[in-house]
Amino acid sequence: MNDLPIYIFTGFLEAGKTKFIQETLEDERFNDGERTLLLLCEEGEEEYDISKMPSKNVFIRTIEDSEDLTRENFEKLIKETSAERVVVEYNGMWTLQTLFDALPNYCIISQELCFCDGNTILNYNANMRQLVFDKFSTAEMIIFNRLDLNADIMPLHKLVRAVSRRAQIAYEYNNGYVKYDDIEDPLPFDVNADVIVIEDSDYALWFQDMMNDMNKYKGKTLKFKGIVARDGAIPDTTLVVGRHVMTCCADDIQYCGIACDYKAAKTLKTNDWIIVTAKLSIGNHKLYRSKGPYLTALDISVTSKPEDEIATFY
């Protein structure tokens, strides 16, 4: 079996996932006869009505416990239903990594949408920030529904952009009108400058934007402050420079660094703070297993650590 498409619909309870999936499977342009495994990972108030679908080749299966969401069980359900594609209604209380780990190698994620009740998502974020971040980080579109026409969408926009600058955002109002987000988010640095200067407070935003759109920075010269990482496996002419970034909460702080070629790299040691001016390239670097961004240093100087050692998006 090759390239089995997977459609993932995430969000918390009563966010409108079931209604959207039902309407999608009622659309003959989407449901034209392919054998579809509809995998439910939670039980909501609404139930699916296959009788309303143009094709009845929809086979509903349920996994109630995250521990049962394994690759073995996933493959078993695919073979059992002879599925030609899979639609997943995912449990908002489970991390997406559980699902990703369970997908067989021949599965291809064709679409991932996240649904949110626009009236409750800010409360979810205040109390379960890590789960909200989990659902927003990989979604290609986030839909806020059940909104009043006079609803303030700016807090919702900022909520998404603090996690992803790539995701599209849609607002669905109570009268059925759908508006797509067109709020511009100018970057706090000039990407067209001869030297793009990244302030300490903007490192997390820059790193996210660079990883989402590497070509924007290809061939550009950057200047920023970072902390060095080196070990015995890194060549004498290479170092890694970056910052510790908190994307959600203290539990998920991670070092976000980038390889940097520098002739005098061996004179630096791990935990040294430096100001680096370097040109960014994209390609196969000796420190990477695949193609990625790397720097060629033009100038490096040792400096003191910043006031806030942990970079954030806020």
Side-chain angles (χ1 to χ4, degrees):
M1 187 179 295
N2 296 312
D3 295 348
L4 182 72
I6 309 291
Y7 299 86
I8 302 172
F9 300 90
T10 67
F12 298 98
L13 274 173
E14 310 310 318
K17 300 189 297 294
T18 303
K19 180 176 182 292
F20 183 87
I21 295 172
Q22 174 73 36
E23 291 175 351
T24 299
L25 291 173
E26 287 180 13
D27 189 337
E28 60 184 13
R29 292 171 299 178
F30 181 82
N31 190 3
D32 60 357
E34 291 178 281
R35 295 178 66 86
T36 302
L37 166 60
L38 176 53
L39 183 61
L40 310 183
C41 298
E42 66 182 2
E43 186 175 349
E45 291 185 0
E46 292 191 50
E47 295 185 357
Y48 288 95
D49 187 350
I50 295 179
S51 67
K52 293 183 178 180
M53 302 175 187
S55 170
K56 306 303 185 288
N57 281 339
V58 178
F59 306 92
I60 300 176
R61 298 293 186 271
T62 302
I63 291 182
E64 298 180 350
D65 193 317
S66 61
E67 293 183 357
D68 295 327
L69 186 56
T70 63
R71 182 168 298 190
E72 180 181 7
N73 287 338
F74 211 108
E75 290 187 317
K76 178 181 177 182
L77 293 175
I78 291 170
K79 293 176 181 178
E80 175 185 309
T81 58
S82 299
E84 297 173 278
R85 63 182 176 184
V86 181
V87 175
V88 180
E89 181 178 348
Y90 200 61
N91 191 317
M93 304 306 291
W94 301 355
T95 63
L96 277 164
Q97 193 60 49
T98 301
L99 173 61
F100 297 153
D101 290 342
L103 294 179
N105 294 332
Y106 50 80
C107 291
I108 300 295
I109 297 177
S110 295
Q111 192 172 48
E112 183 185 336
L113 304 183
C114 178
F115 292 83
C116 307
D117 184 328
N119 302 295
T120 62
I121 188 60
L122 294 178
N123 289 330
Y124 271 106
N125 184 62
N127 295 288
M128 294 183 290
R129 169 67 179 162
Q130 196 161 5
L131 286 173
V132 173
F133 175 86
D134 177 69
K135 304 305 174 293
F136 283 9
S137 59
T138 56
E140 64 185 79
M141 177 176 283
I142 298 164
I143 300 98
F144 295 104
N145 53 35
R146 299 170 186 166
L147 292 170
D148 294 328
L149 286 175
N150 60 352
D152 182 7
I153 61 174
M154 185 57 75
L156 304 178
H157 170 89
K158 289 182 177 179
L159 179 62
V160 175
R161 289 295 174 248
V163 179
S164 171
R165 295 180 66 88
R166 180 184 66 250
Q168 294 182 312
I169 308 172
Y171 307 99
E172 182 179 355
Y173 295 88
N174 289 326
N175 65 354
Y177 175 68
V178 176
K179 175 184 177 181
Y180 292 94
D181 188 283
D182 58 1
I183 300 173
E184 292 188 15
D185 290 293
L187 293 166
F189 42 82
D190 184 1
V191 297
N192 295 313
D194 292 338
V195 178
I196 304 172
V197 179
I198 311 299
E199 300 294 340
D200 292 344
S201 59
D202 299 327
Y203 182 85
L205 180 60
W206 167 74
F207 191 85
Q208 179 194 67
D209 191 60
M210 183 271 295
M211 293 303 292
N212 285 339
D213 188 4
M214 297 181 193
N215 287 325
K216 181 191 298 184
Y217 299 94
K218 183 178 180 180
K220 299 293 182 70
T221 299
L222 305 153
K223 182 178 182 180
F224 62 90
K225 181 183 290 188
I227 189 171
V228 172
R230 295 199 78 251
D231 63 25
I234 296 178
D236 289 343
T237 57
T238 303
L239 58 90
V240 178
V241 58
R243 294 285 300 275
H244 289 92
V245 174
M246 182 172 70
T247 52
C248 169
C249 58
D251 290 337
D252 71 358
I253 293 174
Q254 58 181 325
Y255 181 70
C256 295
I258 180 170
C260 179
D261 291 332
Y262 178 52
K263 290 182 179 180
K266 66 179 180 180
T267 64
L268 300 170
K269 58 183 184 300
T270 294
N271 294 328
D272 278 347
W273 282 94
I274 60 173
I275 295 177
V276 57
T277 302
K279 185 176 180 180
L280 189 142
S281 302
I282 301 171
N284 296 312
H285 192 273
K286 49 198 169 189
L287 290 190
Y288 301 153
R289 294 183 178 178
S290 59
K291 187 176 180 181
Y294 65 91
L295 300 171
T296 301
L298 303 176
D299 182 71
I300 286 181
S301 60
V302 178
T303 187
S304 59
K305 65 183 180 182
E307 183 177 350
D308 294 319
E309 294 186 53
I310 306 300
T312 69
F313 293 93
Y314 305 98

